Amino acid sequence: MAGQPSMPYSSSKTALNAITAHYAWELAGTAVKVNGAAPGHVATDFNGFRGRRTPEEGAEVAIRLATLDADGPTGQVFEDETRLAW
């Protein structure tokens, strides 16, 4: 993890992961896939552009998840091709 832990940031990330799992469960059996995309440490205003990844690199996981086929995963969180445990 880059930088120091932040209670508001960590709490909001946990809540986002939980709601991702909840919506995936609610929409099971439909064509809708609900996943989380972790872009990694992207250089943005939020971190003073100290991130190691470009916005384009960070966006790749979201684009991949947005274009999943019917057999794709749901209720998971991914960074690139890696499924993250939370």
Side-chain angles (χ1 to χ4, degrees):
M1 179 172 167
Q4 294 296 315
S6 161
M7 182 59 76
Y9 181 80
S10 297
S11 298
S12 66
K13 291 285 283 190
T14 299
L16 184 59
N17 291 345
I19 203 164
T20 296
H22 175 78
Y23 281 135
W25 180 79
E26 284 285 328
L27 295 166
T30 72
V32 177
K33 305 289 182 210
V34 183
N35 292 292
H41 194 206
V42 176
T44 65
D45 286 340
F46 183 70
N47 61 28
F49 297 96
R50 291 185 303 267
R52 296 179 306 274
R53 303 182 85 176
T54 66
E56 292 79 12
E57 291 169 329
E60 288 175 7
V61 65
I63 293 167
R64 184 177 67 78
L65 293 173
T67 58
L68 288 172
D69 60 26
D71 295 326
T74 191
Q76 307 296 321
V77 179
F78 291 89
E79 182 174 0
D80 300 323
E81 301 286 332
T82 303
R83 181 178 153 260
L84 301 178
W86 65 274

